[in-house]
């Protein structure tokens, strides 16, 4: 009787099928587990006559080996089928998947970098969490300058005994210039793009963080004429060959003389419109000759070297270039807004 049962199970096992890993596991439990069919034969094996035990034992081992091989083969088939089906995921987005685009600020920043790179400027970078020494002191800011107050600057850590040791979120990338001048001697020709922070109310025209690109050129016999020509080249590269520039006297602690630069309105061609408030001009950046005190603070001999510096807001340039009415749109991550710049990528 036990030999007939073994032969029946052997024939049954040879025809086993499974469509997935769960079914293969169910077959293993049915035939090979402690409570399975093959293990149950051992109870009958005890009552087999001694002269038949060898033959029956061989048949049981053959049955067990056949079952293991068959079930393992079914497992491998199921795993292979599941791996091949992984490429078909009905929950995925339909093909073709739309490609993204660079952020408008990145597009404009890269364009500015490219323009200055072709004029020989190299990139310089620095920390966004800075000390007062590099943000203000080395940039010729007085100890009681309003920019040091809580109204304008985000303070991380204050030192009541020594303001130069205050830790702040940098309010301009001029700190990168200070660090570069400390470790390098002229000629220096760098641009420093990066994010800056100021404690301002968030509106359509202002934000508590924005992006700047500042430039610095120091060498012997550098003049304001050199600065004007570089900025004229920038304006014409960014806004068109017919763009004109205008320099108005201004004040910055780190430059003397200083100026604000306007460009002729690229919307009306300088004739006057609502965009330029009917003046024909739009302010774009600040600039000037590096104050000798800044050079000396950073270890450069102001009697031998001179230089110029300039700084512009990337958001401001992007507003002018693409006529974006609300500054907040740049940081809201609204894909409807970002998709408008696909062709500009």
């Amino acid at each position: 009787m036990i030999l007939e049962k073994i032969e029946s199970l052997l024939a049954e096992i040879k025809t086993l099928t499974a469509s997935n890993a769960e079914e293969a596991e169910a077959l293993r439990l049915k035939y090979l587990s402690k409570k399975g069919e093959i293990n149950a034969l051992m109870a009958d094996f005890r009552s087999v006559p001694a002269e038949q035990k060898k033959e029956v034992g061989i048949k049981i081992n053959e049955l067990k080996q056949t079952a293991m091989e068959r079930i393992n083969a079914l497992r491998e088939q199921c795993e292979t089928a599941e791996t091949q089906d992984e490429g078909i995921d009905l929950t995925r987005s339909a093909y073709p998947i739309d490609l993204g685009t660079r952020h408008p600020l990145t597009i404009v920043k890269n364009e500015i970098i490219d323009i200055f790179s072709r004029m020989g400027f190299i990139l310089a970078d620095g920390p966004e969490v800075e000390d007062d020494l590099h943000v203000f002191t080395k940039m010729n800011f007085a100890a009681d300058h309003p920019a040091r107050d809580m109204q304008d600057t985000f303070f991380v850590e204050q030192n009541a005994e020594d303001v130069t040791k205050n830790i702040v979120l940098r309010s301009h990338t001029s700190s990168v210039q200070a660090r570069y001048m400390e470790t390098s001697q002229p000629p220096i020709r760098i641009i420093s793009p990066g994010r800056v922070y100021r404690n301002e109310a968030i509106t359509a025209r202002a934000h508590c963080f924005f992006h700047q690109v500042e430039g610095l050129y120091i060498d012997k016999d550098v003049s304001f004429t050199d600065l004007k020509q570089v900025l004229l080249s920038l304006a014409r590269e960014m806004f068109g060959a017919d763009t004109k520039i205008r320099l108005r006297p201004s004040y910055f602690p780190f430059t003397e003389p200083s100026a604000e630069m306007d460009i002729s309105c690229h919307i009306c061609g300088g004739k006057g419109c609502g965009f330029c408030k009917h003046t024909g001009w739009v302010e774009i950046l600040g600039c000037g000759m590096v104050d000798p005190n800044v050079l000396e603070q950073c270890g450069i001999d102001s009697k031998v070297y001179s230089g110029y510096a300039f700084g512009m807001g990337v958001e401001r340039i992007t507003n002018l270039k693409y006529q974006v009415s609300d500054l907040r749109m740049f940081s809201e991550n609204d894909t409807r807004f970002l998709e408008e710049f696909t062709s500009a990528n």
Side-chain angles (χ1 to χ4, degrees):
M1 289 293 292
I2 190 169
L3 287 175
E4 292 177 1
K5 189 172 183 179
I6 290 172
E7 290 296 334
S8 175
L9 284 173
L10 189 62
E12 182 180 321
I13 287 169
K14 288 180 179 179
T15 60
L16 292 177
T17 60
S19 57
N20 53 55
E22 288 77 11
E23 291 183 6
E25 177 62 14
L27 292 174
R28 186 192 70 79
L29 294 174
K30 179 180 179 181
Y31 293 100
L32 296 172
S33 67
K34 288 184 179 181
K35 297 182 180 180
E37 299 276 356
I38 296 175
N39 208 44
L41 290 173
M42 299 308 296
D44 297 335
F45 183 73
R46 297 189 187 94
S47 60
V48 173
E51 64 273 13
Q52 293 183 346
K53 280 186 180 293
K54 181 177 181 181
E55 180 185 2
V56 174
I58 291 174
K59 286 289 185 180
I60 291 175
N61 286 335
E62 180 186 348
L63 174 64
K64 186 174 182 179
Q65 186 64 30
T66 301
M68 291 174 62
E69 291 175 356
R70 181 60 184 169
I71 291 172
N72 286 338
L74 291 174
R75 274 180 170 176
E76 291 178 5
Q77 290 177 11
C78 293
E79 289 175 359
T80 301
E82 288 175 0
T83 301
Q84 292 174 344
D85 290 341
E86 283 179 358
I88 305 174
D89 183 357
L90 299 180
T91 65
R92 289 182 62 177
S93 300
Y95 288 99
I97 298 174
D98 292 335
L99 295 177
T101 180
R102 288 186 179 89
H103 193 278
L105 295 180
T106 302
I107 295 171
V108 172
K109 182 192 72 174
N110 289 346
E111 188 174 351
I112 295 170
I113 291 173
D114 178 65
I115 292 169
F116 283 110
S117 295
R118 286 186 272 115
M119 289 192 280
F121 287 79
I122 62 172
L123 289 176
D125 194 14
E128 294 183 11
V129 181
E130 260 287 13
D131 55 36
D132 178 287
L133 180 66
H134 292 91
V135 176
F136 297 124
T137 303
K138 286 184 178 290
M139 288 293 109
N140 202 38
F141 281 78
D144 58 351
H145 194 282
R148 295 177 187 264
D149 293 341
M150 294 297 291
Q151 288 82 358
D152 297 313
T153 305
F154 287 108
F155 282 78
V156 178
E157 182 179 319
Q158 286 188 289
N159 188 307
E161 298 179 0
D162 186 355
V163 295
T164 66
K165 295 181 180 179
N166 288 338
I167 305 301
V168 302
L169 298 183
R170 66 183 183 189
S171 55
H172 50 196
T173 57
S174 301
S175 56
V176 180
Q177 299 178 20
R179 289 188 175 274
Y180 197 91
M181 285 188 284
E182 283 180 337
T183 58
S184 307
Q185 283 297 307
I188 294 172
R189 187 178 293 191
I190 62 169
I191 53 172
S192 51
R195 182 179 294 181
V196 299
Y197 306 84
R198 294 182 188 175
N199 190 7
E200 297 182 3
I202 299 174
T203 67
R205 297 178 61 83
H207 212 296
C208 61
F209 71 87
F210 56 100
H211 300 78
Q212 277 189 336
V213 175
E214 293 196 16
L216 175 70
Y217 177 41
I218 300 174
D219 204 346
K220 295 179 180 178
D221 302 320
V222 178
S223 69
F224 204 98
T225 303
D226 299 321
L227 170 62
K228 181 179 179 181
Q229 189 58 45
V230 164
L231 296 180
L232 178 62
S233 299
L234 167 70
R236 289 180 173 174
E237 289 271 1
M238 286 293 297
F239 299 102
D242 296 330
T243 303
K244 298 180 178 62
I245 66 171
R246 180 178 71 175
L247 296 171
R248 294 179 287 106
S250 187
Y251 168 77
F252 303 109
F254 34 82
T255 53
E256 179 60 36
S258 304
E260 301 277 3
M261 190 183 93
D262 304 329
I263 61 168
S264 55
C265 180
H266 62 291
I267 306 298
C268 63
K271 296 178 181 178
C273 65
F275 186 77
C276 62
K277 299 179 181 179
H278 302 284
T279 64
W281 297 95
V282 180
E283 182 181 324
I284 188 175
L285 58 81
C287 60
M289 301 300 294
V290 179
D291 192 294
N293 290 333
V294 172
L295 296 177
E296 296 292 342
Q297 285 269 12
C298 296
I300 295 175
D301 190 344
S302 63
K303 295 180 175 62
V304 178
Y305 296 103
S306 58
Y308 60 72
F310 54 85
M312 67 196 81
V314 179
E315 280 86 346
R316 177 65 170 165
I317 303 294
T318 309
N319 277 343
L320 296 175
K321 196 171 179 64
Y322 297 118
Q323 301 178 43
V324 178
S325 59
D326 193 330
L327 199 70
R328 292 168 293 191
M329 297 176 73
F330 291 129
S331 55
E332 289 177 347
N333 291 328
D334 189 328
T335 55
R336 295 169 299 179
F337 168 70
L338 298 175
E339 284 170 357
E340 296 179 15
F341 296 87
T342 303
S343 60
N345 188 13

